[in-house]
Structures are given as structure tokens and as C-alpha cells.
Amino acid sequence: NNNNRNLRDGVAEQYANDMRNGNWTQCPASISFYDDGDLADGQHRLWAIIESGTTQRFPIVRGLNRQDGLNINTGLSRTIIDNGRISGLDTELSHTLVAAARAVELGAVTTSRQSNADKLVVVTKHREACTWAINHLPFAKNIRNAITLGAISRAYYVETDHEKLARYCQVLATGFADGEHESAAVAMRNYLLAKGALTTHHSLWRDTFLKVQSSIANFMKGRKLTVIRGVAEETYPLKKRRAV
């Protein structure tokens, strides 16, 4: 492997975890070599085999010219949605569902690398809560995103009055409240609209996620809330999910 791109440790580790956990499926992409014996394609997969201590099977291609390297891995890559549907493993996947499920699982954590297999596990785990949130929070720009859907899904596990939680979703999306007892959703909506798309940026992810949870709790208790303030910890930590 004398002339290749720099190894990305996170990618190799991701592959290794899937191999180690039995989530690595048969891969039709070849391990390829140039005509002088140098590795042309497959270093991350090979390194993952070493890291995982497993045995894997791949097609092998030999004898490529150096010029052939110009178009290696330049094809249109498939998303997890494409592969989930094409493989039949999950034909109901959507980007919104995957993003919401990851937000539920990760909570206030801003970033975490996950393989497609890991993402499917998370979607399966939180599908009911996330589907409920997606169905009950109408689309509104800068309002319905992974953060709000994730926080609402967290609340779904804890709060038993889902009808009132659905009302929170409606007020959050529209801004129309029936009184001060619903002001928490309006205040949260105003905050999200004022910040715009910045709320989903990694620098504000944690802060916004905590605030949405807090606003939900205040709404559920009918507390008047006109200003969204900082929150120190999660209102609906995942470990406190109710049994469903």
C-alpha cells in the first residue's frame, strides 16, 4: 500500500465494529491492485479485518493500470435510504426518520459516527416514538428538524398524555396557542425562528436540544413561559423511558 490516500481511522473503526458484531454483509466491491502489486482500492476494509480479527470474503481484481485509479470510487454513492430500500432490510426508511432516531439515541451529543447497520439498529429501536413525532409535528421551516423531533420523541417515552404532547407539536408548528398555559410552545417556536438554521449547527445542538425538552415539560405542566433560558441537563434522559 505504497501510494494511496491517507487512512481514515474512523472509517476503518466503523467497518471493524460491523465486522466484529456480525453486521458486515457480503460486499461486492473488490479489493483491487495495480499491475505493479500496489493496493488500488480497499485499504479501509483490509485494515478493518485486521482490527476486528475476523475473516471476510471479497472479489479480487489485479492488473489495473495506474491511470485506472482516476475513476476509482467516483461513482454516485448510495445513501442508507437507498441501500435500506434496495436491500429490503427497511423499505420505509426516510432521511427524517433516520435523523430523528439518531437524535433520540444521541441526545445532546452533537456528533457520532455510525455505520449503516448501526443506524438501522437505532431506527428499529426508536421507530414508534419517532414515527409518532413525525406524524404529529407539521412541517414548518426551522421548526421541524432532527432536534425538535428527537426531543419530542424522548418526551413520548416519558409523558403519558400523548394527546397533550400532540397539542404541543401543533402549537410549536403554528404559533397559535389557547392561552398562557400553552405559552411554552410559542416561546420555543419564537426562539427557533429567531435562531434559524443555526440551531442545528453542532455548536448549538446541545443547547437547543435541552431547551426543547424543557419547553415540552413546561407545556405539559401548563406553566407560563415567555423566555427560553439555558438548561443545564436533560429533562427527558433516555434511561428514564417508560415501558411501551
Side-chain angles (χ1 to χ4, degrees):
N1 192 23
N2 297 316
N3 188 16
N4 215 317
R5 56 183 173 177
N6 293 333
L7 187 74
R8 301 174 188 176
D9 292 333
V11 174
E13 182 180 355
Q14 174 184 312
Y15 292 170
N17 285 336
D18 278 349
M19 292 176 181
R20 193 181 297 114
N21 296 328
N23 293 326
W24 183 266
T25 58
Q26 286 286 346
C27 180
S30 66
I31 304 295
S32 302
F33 296 89
Y34 293 116
D35 51 15
D36 61 2
D38 272 358
L39 182 67
D41 187 36
Q43 64 171 338
H44 290 91
R45 287 170 287 159
L46 292 174
W47 190 256
I49 291 173
I50 297 171
E51 289 291 309
S52 65
T54 63
T55 299
Q56 304 294 334
R57 296 176 64 87
F58 294 96
I60 303 297
V61 172
R62 300 183 186 277
L64 294 179
N65 294 319
R66 282 287 172 176
Q67 293 87 345
D68 295 333
L70 179 65
N71 289 309
I72 291 178
N73 289 334
T74 58
L76 179 62
S77 60
R78 292 179 176 180
T79 67
I80 183 177
I81 311 304
D82 297 329
N83 284 339
R85 291 173 177 172
I86 292 170
S87 67
L89 290 175
D90 196 326
T91 58
E92 302 299 322
L93 272 181
S94 69
H95 292 292
T96 302
L97 178 59
V98 172
R102 293 192 73 217
V104 176
E105 184 72 12
L106 299 174
V109 178
T110 56
T111 58
S112 177
R113 181 181 291 276
Q114 290 181 311
S115 68
N116 283 350
D118 290 335
K119 291 176 183 176
L120 286 182
V121 169
V122 169
V123 167
T124 300
K125 183 177 179 181
H126 301 298
R127 183 185 292 275
E128 178 187 335
C130 292
T131 299
W132 187 94
I134 292 169
N135 289 339
H136 286 83
L137 180 62
F139 177 79
K141 186 177 180 181
N142 295 326
I143 300 296
R144 194 174 87 159
N145 52 43
I147 292 177
T148 54
L149 290 171
I152 291 168
S153 299
R154 286 279 194 96
Y156 175 89
Y157 283 129
V158 178
E159 300 289 354
T160 56
D161 190 348
H162 288 167
E163 184 175 343
K164 191 168 185 177
L165 184 59
R167 176 60 183 166
Y168 172 87
C169 295
Q170 190 69 27
V171 178
L172 181 66
T174 65
F176 298 120
D178 286 338
E180 291 185 347
H181 64 287
E182 293 186 340
S183 59
V186 177
M188 192 68 242
R189 171 186 170 82
N190 292 339
Y191 175 86
L192 292 170
L193 291 177
K195 292 291 184 180
L198 286 175
T199 56
T200 57
H201 191 269
H202 66 85
S203 62
L204 284 178
W205 178 285
R206 174 181 172 81
D207 182 61
T208 307
F209 193 81
L210 297 179
K211 286 176 177 176
V212 176
Q213 290 183 77
S214 177
S215 73
I216 295 172
N218 279 283
F219 182 93
M220 299 301 290
K221 295 174 182 177
R223 292 176 178 170
K224 179 181 178 181
L225 185 67
T226 57
V227 178
I228 299 296
R229 303 186 186 281
V231 183
E233 56 187 33
E234 304 225 23
T235 308
Y236 300 107
L238 195 56
K239 63 182 179 181
K240 292 184 179 180
R241 288 184 302 158
R242 67 176 178 86
V244 293

